[in-house]
Amino acid sequence: MSLSLLRFALVGNPNCGKTALFNSLTGARAKVANYAGVTVEKRLGTLTGLGRPAELIDLPGTYSLYVASPDEQVARRVILGEMAGEAAPDVLVAVVDATNIKLGLRLVLELQALGLPMILALNLADAARRRGITIDTAMLSQQLGMPVVETVAVRKHGVAELQAALAECAANAGSRSGKLALPERGEAVEDLYARIDKVLAACVSAPSHAPAWQDKLDALVMHPVLGLVLLAAILLLMFQAVFAWAAPVMDAIDGGMGWLGETAGALLPAGILHDFVVDGLIAGVGGVLVFLPQIIILFAFILALEDSGYLPRAAFLLDRMMRGVGLSGRSFIPMLSSFACAVPGIMSTRSIADPKERLVTILTAPLMTCSARLPVYALVIGAFVPKQSVGGVFNLQGLTLFALYLAGIVSAALVAWLMRRRESAGHGFPLLLELPNYRWPNAYHFLLGLKERAWIFLSRVGTVILALSIVLWFLATYPHAPVDATLPAIEYSFAGMLGKVMQPLFEPLGFSWQMCIALIPAMAAREVAVSALATVYAVGGEDALGGALAHDWGLPVALAYLAWFVYAPQCLSTIAVVRRETNSLRATVIFTGYLFALAYFGALLVRQIAALWA
Amino acid sequence: MSHSATPLHLLPKGARATIVDIASHSHFGELDAQVTLRLKELGFLPGAVLQVIGFGLFGADPVAVRINGTKFGLRRSEAAKILTTLQPA
C-alpha cells in the first residue's frame, strides 16, 4: 500500500516563532511564493524522514478562529479547507510561545474543537526557562490530550523531538479530503480562560514577568519623545547605510562588469555578436546588478527590525500621527516594507482589520520609494547634482535623495487624507496591537530571509531584465542606419521610431525620445530604465552613462524625470498585486490612473519651476 | 459593576488595576460586540490584572498595557471600554 501525502499545518499566534520553526523543520527547502511577504503568502515545505510523503504549510499568525482580520481569515480558510482546490490539513501543529502560554493555549483549545489530530510545540522554551517558568510537559500533554514538545526553533533544539512526534502522527493519521465546519462557539471566553487557568495551575509555575531589561528598553523605545527620536535615528541610519555602505561593493560590481565588457569586447570580433554581448547583455544586466548591495542592506534592516520585535513599537508610536490622515499604526509596517518593494508591502496590509483603511494603504503604499526606483534616482542624481557638502554635514546628493523620499511620503499622506476626509471622524476599528518580547534576530533565519529576497532580485535580473535588455538592444540596433547617415545610428532604429511616437505626449515635460523609450521597459521593472538608457546611449558603466545624460539633458528636465518616477505606477507587478488584493477592477483603474496623472502633472510642475529658478 | 470603576485610559502610568467589566462603547457602532470579544480573547477579562506601561505622544493615546505577561497597544476608545479598579501600590 502506498501511503498518500500527509499535510501538516503550523498554526499559532503572531510572534510565536512559527516561521523559524517552519525553517528548522523544512530546512531551506521551502517553496516561497514569488514575493516573500513574511508569512502572508502561503509557504509550503517538504517534511522528510516521516516514512511517508508529507508537507508542511506555514499559516499567517492568528489569535482566533472567530474574530478575524484578513490574514487571520486566510489562516482560518486553510485550516477549514475552504481554500479553492485544497482540503483541510490532516494534522495541526499548534505553536505556542512558552513565555506567553495563556494567550497561545486559548487558540489551541479553540482548534481542538475542530477534531483534527494535533501536536503542540512549546516554542521559545529556552527563554521561558531563563525567566524561571517551568512547564510540566507530560502533565500538559495529559491535560490537553495531545503530544507536547518543547522547542527552541532558532537553535534546532527540540526540533528532532518534534520531528519524532510528527513521524508518530504520520504513522497513525489518515489523509482526509474535504472541508471542516467551524463549530458554533460552544463556550464563553470566560469559561475557556477558566479552563486554561486550571490547566496552567496543574502544569506551569511561572513568575511570569518579563526580564527587567525588556521593560527598561521599552521605557526608552516607547517614550513619547525619545522613542520618536530613536525611530528617526534608526530610519536615518537605514537610509545612510543604503547609500554609504553599499558604495564600495557597487563600485566593485561596476568595475567588474566594465572589465567583463572590455574582455569580452577584445575576444569577440567586431560585428553584431560583439555589440550584442557588450552593449546588450553586459551593459544591460550589469546596469541593474550593481544595485544588489543596496537592496540587500535595505532588506537587512527591515528584516532585523521585524525579527527583533521593534516594528510594532514603531506602529504604536506613530499611530496617533497616522490617524491624522485616516490611517493607523498598523499601516506603518506595510509602508515601511514598501520602501523595499511595494509588492510585499501591499500583501502585508492583510493585517489591517478596517477594510477602508486597508484600501487606502494599498493605494498609497506604492508612493513610498521602493528599491527599484533607487537605480534611477542614483543615476540621475549622480549625473546632475554636484557632490558639494551643505553645512559641513550633509551632502547635496544625499539631500536630493532625501527630498525624493520625502516627496513620496508627503504625497501619500495627502492622498490618504483626501481619500478619508469625507468619512465621519470616528472610525470604529480597534488598534489592539500586540507588542511582542524583544528578541535578538537569529543569524540563520535572518540570512535565510535575506537570501530569499536577494534571490528574488537576482532571478529578476536573470529573467525579466535579461530578456528586456535583449529586446531593447534589438530595437535600438535594427534597422541599421544607412551608410551615409549623418545622425546617431539609434535615430534610425525601431526604438528611435517608438520614442519619437511617444515623445509629443511628453513634450510638455521636456522628455526627449530617448527618455520616452526607457519608460516602456520600465513598466516591467523601474530599474530597467537604467539599462534602457545605457542601451539607447550605447554606453556601459554608471559613470559613462551619467556623463552621457549630463551632456544630453538639462537640469529642469532631469528633475522632471525624477518627479515622474516618484509617482508613476511604473511596475506591472504592483498593479497586478493591487488588483489581486483589492479584488476590484475599479480600484485598480483608480490606482493606476491617479498615479499616472500625479506623475504627469508633477513632472510638468517641477520642470516649470526649475526652469524659472535656473 | 463597582461604583469606583475607572476606565483604563484614565489610569496613570505605572498603575496596576483589576478589570471589572468590558463595557460597550458607541465609538465602535455595530462592531462593538466584536471588539469586546476580541478584547476578551486577548485576555482582557474581568478579574485579570493589568499594568499601564506607557502612552503615546498626544493626549495619552494610544496606551500600552501589560496583561498576563503580554504587552498590547490600545487606543483611547478601546481602553475606554475596559473598566478597572485601581490596586493599591
Side-chain angles (χ1 to χ4, degrees):
Chain A
M1 184 183 87
S2 85
L3 289 163
S4 54
L5 179 76
L6 202 63
R7 299 168 67 244
F8 292 85
L10 272 183
V11 201
N13 292 158
N15 313 307
C16 66
K18 214 159 36 60
T19 298
L21 197 59
F22 176 87
N23 288 343
S24 300
L25 283 169
T26 61
R29 300 183 301 272
K31 263 187 281 173
V32 187
N34 211 3
Y35 312 109
V38 186
T39 30
V40 172
E41 268 302 285
K42 192 176 83 172
R43 294 158 60 98
L44 199 63
T46 310
L47 290 169
T48 51
L50 299 191
R52 65 189 285 184
E55 64 180 25
L56 183 66
I57 311 164
D58 187 17
L59 298 180
T62 181
Y63 293 110
S64 164
L65 289 173
Y66 293 89
V67 186
S69 65
D71 59 344
E72 291 178 309
Q73 280 167 20
V74 172
R76 179 172 74 190
R77 290 179 61 202
V78 175
I79 294 169
L80 297 177
E82 287 173 358
M83 285 295 198
E86 272 186 56
D90 303 306
V91 182
L92 296 179
V93 183
V95 186
V96 169
D97 176 349
T99 63
N100 194 2
I101 192 164
K102 203 167 173 177
L103 190 60
L105 278 188
R106 208 203 62 79
L107 178 66
V108 171
L109 294 186
E110 212 172 81
L111 291 167
Q112 206 174 23
L114 295 172
L116 287 172
M118 279 179 75
I119 296 172
L120 178 63
L122 273 179
N123 205 13
L124 301 161
D126 56 339
R129 215 164 296 135
R130 270 202 303 276
R131 286 193 199 177
I133 302 174
T134 50
I135 303 171
D136 181 346
T137 49
M139 188 61 165
L140 188 60
S141 168
Q142 192 195 330
Q143 293 259 337
L144 296 173
M146 65 179 78
V148 176
V149 182
E150 279 192 19
T151 54
V152 182
V154 295
R155 290 216 186 80
K156 294 215 166 205
H157 172 90
V159 171
E161 285 111 286
L162 181 58
Q163 199 121 27
L166 295 182
E168 201 182 314
C169 212
N172 303 322
S175 143
R176 70 188 62 238
S177 57
K179 293 183 184 181
L180 295 172
L182 185 62
E184 278 294 309
R185 226 187 155 87
E187 87 192 292
V189 189
E190 287 86 346
D191 298 338
L192 200 61
Y193 266 113
R195 199 141 62 89
I196 292 169
D197 282 336
K198 238 187 194 156
V199 172
L200 292 182
C203 327
V204 180
S205 76
S208 198
H209 36 74
W213 67 269
Q214 296 249 356
D215 289 347
K216 281 186 188 140
L217 192 54
D218 262 341
L220 168 67
V221 167
M222 290 170 58
H223 188 277
V225 178
L226 294 179
L228 282 175
V229 173
L230 181 70
L231 176 62
I234 289 173
L235 294 181
L236 200 67
L237 179 70
M238 176 166 127
F239 291 122
Q240 171 73 20
V242 165
F243 290 93
W245 303 353
V249 191
M250 292 174 72
D251 289 345
I253 295 177
D254 203 28
M257 292 312 278
W259 173 85
L260 196 65
E262 275 170 31
T263 314
L267 287 175
L268 293 166
I272 288 180
L273 186 65
H274 174 280
D275 294 349
F276 170 70
V277 172
V278 177
D279 301 332
L281 279 186
I282 297 177
V285 171
V288 178
L289 196 62
V290 72
F291 297 99
L292 182 64
Q294 291 187 335
I295 286 166
I296 287 181
I297 290 177
L298 194 63
F299 273 120
F301 269 87
I302 289 179
L303 276 175
L305 291 178
E306 199 168 275
D307 289 354
S308 65
Y310 179 73
L311 283 187
R313 267 102 179 158
F316 175 87
L317 285 171
L318 293 174
D319 180 66
R320 192 68 192 84
M321 227 178 279
M322 297 189 74
R323 226 181 309 166
V325 296
L327 299 173
S328 77
R330 284 193 188 274
S331 306
F332 172 70
I333 296 168
M335 293 287 182
L336 186 66
S337 305
S338 296
F339 281 110
C341 174
V343 171
I346 288 172
M347 293 194 330
S348 65
T349 62
R350 285 187 201 168
S351 61
I352 300 173
D354 179 351
K356 281 186 197 139
E357 184 193 337
R358 179 163 177 247
L359 180 65
V360 173
T361 308
I362 289 173
L363 296 184
T364 52
L367 282 169
M368 302 301 117
T369 301
C370 67
S371 51
R373 284 180 178 99
L374 277 182
V376 183
Y377 289 180
L379 172 69
V380 177
I381 290 174
F384 288 92
V385 180
K387 262 191 186 150
Q388 74 196 45
S389 88
V390 179
V393 192
F394 300 104
N395 167 307
L396 192 58
Q397 291 189 337
L399 284 180
T400 311
L401 188 79
F402 183 69
L404 292 173
Y405 273 88
L406 205 62
I409 297 167
V410 170
S411 306
L414 277 174
V415 171
W417 179 76
L418 281 171
M419 284 180 181
R420 299 215 69 172
R421 104 201 113 99
R422 271 182 298 165
E423 288 164 32
S424 59
H427 318 123
F429 277 86
L431 179 69
L432 283 178
L433 200 62
E434 185 183 343
L435 308 166
N437 291 319
Y438 291 105
R439 259 174 238 161
W440 278 112
N442 170 267
Y444 173 72
H445 298 282
F446 174 76
L447 291 175
L448 205 63
L450 209 53
K451 192 199 87 181
E452 267 170 29
R453 284 153 175 86
W455 185 247
I456 290 168
F457 176 76
L458 284 178
S459 60
R460 285 214 316 171
V461 171
T463 54
V464 180
I465 295 174
L466 180 66
L468 288 173
S469 294
I470 294 171
V471 170
L472 262 178
W473 172 82
F474 176 82
L475 290 176
T477 310
Y478 294 95
H480 283 307
V483 188
D484 55 350
T486 47
L487 298 166
I490 189 157
E491 299 227 12
Y492 300 93
S493 68
F494 292 121
M497 295 175 209
L498 200 59
K500 282 171 188 157
V501 171
M502 282 171 69
Q503 202 266 336
L505 182 64
F506 290 91
E507 178 65 46
L509 314 184
F511 292 5
S512 67
W513 56 267
Q514 290 98 329
M515 296 164 83
C516 292
I517 295 171
L519 295 183
I520 300 169
M523 276 310 288
R526 289 180 176 95
E527 65 268 34
V528 185
V530 173
S531 48
L533 288 170
T535 312
V536 292
Y537 284 104
V539 285
E542 215 194 329
D543 290 341
L545 180 56
L549 299 190
H551 176 74
D552 202 52
W553 304 359
L555 179 64
V557 173
L559 293 178
Y561 207 52
L562 288 176
W564 172 270
F565 273 92
V566 168
Y567 295 109
Q570 289 265 31
C571 178
L572 289 174
S573 2
T574 303
I575 296 175
V577 81
V578 168
R579 172 79 180 87
R580 200 180 69 199
E581 293 296 313
T582 60
N583 199 19
S584 153
L585 186 61
R586 187 169 163 264
T588 315
V589 169
I590 290 174
F591 167 79
T592 316
Y594 103 84
L595 284 174
F596 269 130
L598 269 183
Y600 194 89
F601 292 106
L604 189 63
L605 199 66
V606 164
R607 188 199 171 200
Q608 302 297 342
I609 293 171
L612 281 179
W613 193 48
Chain B
M1 191 204 309
S2 148
H3 280 294
S4 57
T6 316
L8 169 57
H9 69 290
L10 297 179
L11 292 175
K13 185 173 172 178
R16 290 168 60 83
T18 310
I19 299 177
V20 290
D21 195 19
I22 308 293
S24 63
H25 192 304
S26 59
H27 178 82
F28 297 102
E30 63 205 30
L31 288 164
D32 191 67
Q34 289 272 304
V35 178
T36 302
L37 192 55
R38 165 99 335 164
L39 281 169
K40 286 182 174 177
E41 283 182 344
L42 296 179
F44 292 90
L45 286 172
V49 177
L50 55 78
Q51 184 175 19
V52 178
I53 41 183
F55 295 104
L57 183 54
F58 306 105
D61 188 16
V63 50
V65 297
R66 181 182 16 237
I67 185 162
N68 297 326
T70 314
K71 292 172 183 173
F72 289 100
L74 284 81
R75 285 185 177 168
R76 246 178 117 85
S77 49
E78 293 138 44
K81 286 172 67 66
I82 301 169
L83 304 181
T84 64
T85 48
L86 199 61
Q87 285 197 344

